[in-house]
Amino acid sequence: MTAMEDLVRLVPPPAVPVDANGDWREVEAALGLVLPTDFKLLIERYGRGRFVDFLMPLTPFGDNELLVRHARHLLDGERSFRESNPDKCPYPFYPEPGGLLPWAGTDNGDRLCWSTTGEPDGWPIVVWNPRGWTYDAHDMGAVAFLHGWLSGRVSTTVFGDADETSPWFEPFRERDHVYIHLSEGELPYLERLRILRDALAPTADRGAFDDGEGARQDHFAATGLDWLLTYETAYGHQIRVAFPPGDDERVRVTLVDAVRRMGCEVTSTTSHMGEPVW
């Protein structure tokens, strides 16, 4: 069984993937590189979207041309730092020979790259945290790494394990994203979670994470509202919500009331870009 077959069995792809098809020859001509076969299959099966609300493959198709856009700005964006801190930059950057070329990103700003040395189907994966300048190399292709990480068989020092019993893929849809930062409150976490989900019922599980030391994430959908939510303490005490454009006021009223019932207070609200909202 191939790595792609393993991935499809673990995480069913969408029936109609978004930005999944186009002319690979044009993409490769724009990059000046032939891309790995498994990555092409990944994009064609899944398209644009996120695995477990965290990891997003960079499709080269659609209006945003994510793969090509990231590639074009990589070297210029890192050149100044590398000149000042050469010891923290052990790899060249695309379009330098053998340079790192991102094929996916995470919600934390991490990048999953190929080290473009040798034949494309043999390019190893380098996971990179541009904020902390840490790297983690894996001698496998993109799909094998993705399947291994989602199944718990592959770990990286750059970000945490997927730790999902039923990993999923959410195809891209235009949504607004708001982070609602909360005071702690006196009720235990699970009681706060129950109150939040009751306020948004009906809801459906979308996976959870618990490190056993107080850092939790619970992902769920408010199915009647078409909202996607994460309640967590893993990256601060907050509610993350993604919702269709136009639902802003309903989201604000509903969640502020739910937070009050949870015994907490809203300390701030920001967009996924860190800008204040509401």
Side-chain angles (χ1 to χ4, degrees), residues 6-7 10-11 144-154 161-165 167:
D6 288 338
L7 180 61
L10 179 67
V11 184
F145 176 88
L146 187 53
H147 175 264
W149 180 71
L150 289 166
S151 64
R153 298 174 184 172
V154 172
D161 296 339
D163 200 27
E164 302 289 351
T165 55

Side-chain angles (χ1 to χ4, degrees), residues 16-239:
V16 183
V18 177
D19 294 341
N21 295 291
D23 191 333
W24 285 105
R25 290 172 300 179
E26 287 186 7
V27 173
E28 292 172 334
L31 293 171
L33 293 170
V34 174
L35 294 173
T37 304
D38 69 330
F39 177 74
K40 297 177 187 178
L41 293 174
L42 174 68
I43 296 301
E44 290 167 1
R45 295 302 298 270
Y46 290 89
R48 187 178 177 188
R50 279 182 168 81
F51 287 93
V52 297
D53 276 347
F54 181 72
L55 192 152
M56 180 179 69
L58 301 177
T59 175
F61 306 124
D63 293 340
N64 287 313
E65 296 181 340
L66 295 175
L67 178 71
V68 176
R69 180 161 56 85
H70 279 68
R72 285 174 175 162
H73 298 291
L74 180 60
L75 180 58
D76 286 342
E78 307 304 332
R79 192 189 309 273
S80 176
F81 181 88
R82 185 174 65 179
E83 290 174 355
S84 302
N85 302 272
D87 57 315
K88 295 184 178 180
C89 304
Y91 294 92
F93 297 113
Y94 172 89
E96 296 171 329
L100 296 185
L101 175 64
W103 61 269
T106 75
D107 276 4
N108 291 343
D110 309 305
R111 302 183 191 183
L112 288 79
C113 305
W114 294 292
S115 176
T116 56
T117 55
E119 294 299 316
D121 286 343
W123 288 349
I125 302 305
V126 177
V127 188
W128 169 38
N129 175 349
R131 304 172 313 283
W133 288 89
T134 55
Y135 299 83
D136 186 24
H138 298 262
D139 190 14
M140 61 183 69
V143 172
F145 176 88
L146 187 53
H147 175 264
W149 180 71
L150 289 166
S151 64
R153 298 174 184 172
V154 172
S155 294
T156 172
T157 58
V158 172
F159 51 79
D161 296 339
D163 200 27
E164 302 289 351
T165 55
S166 299
W168 74 91
F169 179 83
E170 181 73 27
F172 173 80
R173 182 179 171 190
E174 195 68 48
R175 294 180 185 271
D176 293 334
H177 297 258
V178 172
Y179 290 59
I180 303 171
H181 309 283
L182 308 177
S183 64
E184 184 58 29
E186 296 183 1
L187 296 176
Y189 177 92
L190 290 178
E191 179 65 11
R192 298 193 304 255
L193 175 63
R194 182 195 65 76
I195 293 170
L196 175 61
R197 293 188 63 159
D198 283 350
L200 300 169
T203 64
D205 288 334
R206 302 180 72 243
F209 165 77
D210 184 350
D211 72 351
E213 298 181 359
R216 288 189 57 123
Q217 289 181 319
D218 285 271
H219 311 284
F220 63 94
T223 54
L225 298 166
D226 192 23
W227 299 351
L228 305 177
L229 297 102
T230 296
Y231 179 51
E232 68 175 340
T233 56
Y235 295 99
H237 186 207
Q238 62 184 353
I239 300 167

Side-chain angles (χ1 to χ4, degrees), residues 231-252:
Y231 179 51
E232 68 175 340
T233 56
Y235 295 99
H237 186 207
Q238 62 184 353
I239 300 167
R240 290 188 275 150
V241 56
F243 52 90
D247 278 6
D248 304 66
E249 183 62 14
R250 188 175 188 182
V251 169
R252 185 188 68 79

